[in-house]
Amino acid sequence: MRVSVIGCGHLGASHAAAMAELGHEVIGVEIDPDKCATLATGASWFYEAGLDDLLAKHVPTGRLRFTTSLAEAAAFADVHFLAVGTPLRADGQGYDVSQVLGAVEQLVPLLRRPAMIIGKSTVTVGTVARLQQIITERAGVEGIELVWNPEFLREGHAVADSLFPDRILVGLTSPTALAAVQEVYAPITARGDIEMVVTDPATAEVAKSAANAFLATKISYINAIAQVCDLTGANIDDVAHVMGIDKRIGHGGMRAGLGYGGGCLPKDVAAFAHAVTKLGATDAAGLLDAVQAVNRARMDTAVQLVAHAAARPLAGLTIGYLGAAFKAGTSDVRDSPALRLADRLHHLGATVRVHDPESLDNARRSHPQLAFADTALDAVAGADLVVVATEWGQYTRDPKLPVAAADRTPARTVVDVRNALDAEPWLAAGWTVHQMGRPTRSPDA
């Protein structure tokens, strides 16, 4: 099929590359000329695991190309995916869907034949109805249909999740729309292990928000239990393992740490909480407010853990800080818990020297008040303690790092606020290890 993807950010670029990998002819629309020019070279303007490989594979062949022209996409494609951003509004009260509405307002008058518009952006209930009204008012031809097909991608795994999703959700209203969606996703559904859930657009909208809010709830719940473990001396890993054995609960998303962040969960939970409050669903609103409160409180807990590990005032200390991205596998620093914690430590008077393998430039732009280092060893050199703030494998699983860092950092104290560290190599190299919800471990213990 001929497919367009409108908006080539973290979601859109990954989706466009995946559509090309599935065999479709794809044109991506990115209105930022610099970003578009970068994508047209076969490389991404941000880091997402596996994305550059697909771009380098399909851009040179012409199967995947990029443009700033919506008219070019309208003339080329029969299916148009909407992947533009829906940030949280400045007042925190729901999504800013102006880019979604604007994209459809501009696209529809350019369509000269029947086409399918498939929304992937995360929106609040009622947005699809507004988009359908725009199509009805502005369409110059018959047969333009709207489908809602929300994404369930994890940043850092967006390419893999696009090609091997755990589910495909579509909200639609006609057999024609269903046939088009089935054709788009046929290379995936032909494998026989993926369920395509077909429902109405309003249900698809709610299901997306509900899924993200529940994941945030699991993360906040295990972080709340980590606080109980801190107070009782219990081991959060064993608690989470016991809980996760129950198939009704599962292990996914149950690792204590800094809490959730990034470009999706914070805004999705906030927007969903606002929406259900307006609907009068007070029980749901109260639960979601509590989820957000627990997540906010993780910063206080992390600061306390760092202060406890330092065993002296933070003012004047140098902290070797490993991680700036909100999670491993991406260069995204939007609402990064790692950088929020770094900011807190900086404001308490510490010199925070940050390294990240992929997001260093983004972090420099967004947090110029911090210090930065080009390598992990440079970041920890002479530091009074080390903080692991993003769960990159080169920090958490490389047994050479604690040995090399020990020669640079006489204090040999590491604070893992992600609970992702393989502690044994650090202990063997003479480090004291502090983690969230776990007892402190010393090399001589």
Side-chain angles (χ1 to χ4, degrees):
M1 297 185 74
R2 288 188 165 189
V3 171
S4 84
V5 179
I6 300 168
C8 290
H10 290 266
L11 165 61
S14 298
H15 186 69
M19 288 289 105
E21 179 71 3
L22 293 175
H24 301 300
E25 295 181 69
V26 185
I27 184 169
V29 180
E30 174 51 58
I31 61 172
D32 184 309
D34 293 334
K35 293 176 180 178
C36 185
T38 299
L39 290 166
T41 67
S44 178
W45 54 271
F46 59 92
Y47 177 75
E48 175 68 40
L51 177 56
D52 278 353
D53 292 339
L54 291 189
L55 292 173
K57 178 180 179 181
H58 295 299
V59 169
T61 69
R63 175 173 285 179
L64 172 59
R65 57 192 173 94
F66 295 92
T67 181
T68 58
S69 170
L70 201 58
E72 185 179 353
F76 172 80
D78 301 304
V79 171
H80 303 275
F81 284 99
L82 297 176
V84 297
T86 53
L88 199 63
R89 284 171 17 193
D91 60 6
Q93 305 297 302
Y95 300 104
D96 177 356
V97 297
S98 59
Q99 293 183 62
V100 175
L101 299 175
V104 173
E105 287 173 346
Q106 294 175 58
L107 173 65
V108 170
L110 299 172
L111 299 174
R112 298 291 181 262
R113 60 184 184 278
M116 199 67 52
I117 299 174
I118 303 180
K120 297 202 73 68
S121 304
T122 303
V123 296
T124 48
V125 176
T127 302
V128 170
R130 294 171 67 185
L131 294 174
Q132 187 59 63
Q133 182 177 0
I134 292 171
I135 292 172
T136 300
E137 293 173 351
R138 294 181 175 242
V141 296
E142 296 292 327
I144 299 174
E145 297 205 44
L146 181 64
V147 173
W148 214 251
N149 171 218
E151 52 86 14
F152 293 98
L153 307 182
R154 301 165 296 164
E155 281 197 56
H157 303 271
V159 171
D161 288 349
S162 296
L163 295 172
F164 301 94
D166 55 10
R167 79 214 109 157
I168 298 172
L169 172 63
V170 289
L172 46 79
T173 57
S174 78
T176 303
L178 177 58
V181 170
Q182 288 174 329
E183 185 176 353
V184 167
Y185 288 115
I188 293 176
T189 57
R191 296 196 295 259
D193 58 348
I194 304 300
E195 180 178 3
M196 177 181 285
V197 180
V198 179
T199 184
D200 59 89
T203 301
E205 289 175 317
V206 171
K208 164 63 178 180
S209 294
N212 274 15
F214 185 72
L215 176 57
T217 300
K218 286 188 73 174
I219 295 169
S220 291
Y221 183 81
I222 204 62
N223 278 321
I225 299 303
Q227 186 179 42
V228 176
C229 291
D230 284 332
L231 296 171
T232 62
N235 187 312
I236 188 59
D237 294 326
D238 291 342
V239 172
H241 179 67
V242 170
M243 292 174 61
I245 292 172
D246 189 329
K247 294 180 180 178
R248 297 167 300 175
I249 298 174
H251 290 102
M254 286 207 304
R255 187 178 71 216
L258 278 179
Y260 59 80
C264 294
L265 291 188
K267 74 180 181 73
D268 290 351
V269 178
F272 196 37
H274 176 68
V276 298
T277 299
K278 289 183 65 176
L279 289 171
T282 55
D283 290 344
L287 176 61
L288 293 173
D289 287 344
V291 167
Q292 295 179 91
V294 170
N295 202 59
R296 288 192 296 268
R298 295 312 287 170
M299 287 296 115
D300 295 330
T301 302
V303 170
Q304 292 166 11
L305 182 63
V306 173
H308 171 73
R312 57 191 188 276
L314 295 176
L317 294 187
T318 297
I319 298 175
Y321 204 83
L322 303 181
F326 91 91
K327 63 183 289 189
T330 177
S331 60
D332 195 352
V333 298
R334 291 175 296 172
D335 207 346
S336 168
L339 287 177
R340 276 189 275 129
L341 176 59
D343 249 354
R344 289 280 296 272
L345 299 175
H346 169 78
H347 287 302
L348 289 170
T351 296
V352 184
R353 194 162 57 224
V354 181
H355 173 261
D356 189 282
E358 296 294 344
S359 67
L360 209 55
D361 289 342
N362 290 339
R364 281 193 176 105
R365 285 192 292 269
S366 64
H367 289 70
Q369 71 276 17
L370 302 176
F372 295 92
D374 291 331
T375 71
L377 291 179
D378 288 342
V380 306
D384 296 292
L385 76 160
V386 173
V387 172
V388 177
T390 305
E391 66 279 22
W392 290 102
Q394 62 182 261
Y395 303 151
T396 61
R397 296 191 299 273
D398 182 358
K400 297 177 183 177
L401 178 60
V403 176
D407 294 334
R408 303 280 192 103
T409 312
R412 297 189 182 181
T413 299
V414 60
V415 182
D416 171 23
V417 294
R418 290 291 190 172
N419 278 13
L421 199 68
D422 179 1
E424 295 304 326
W426 292 80
L427 294 167
W431 291 77
T432 297
V433 179
H434 300 262
Q435 294 177 297
M436 306 280 269
R438 300 175 182 172
T440 299
R441 300 177 67 183
S442 300
D444 54 354

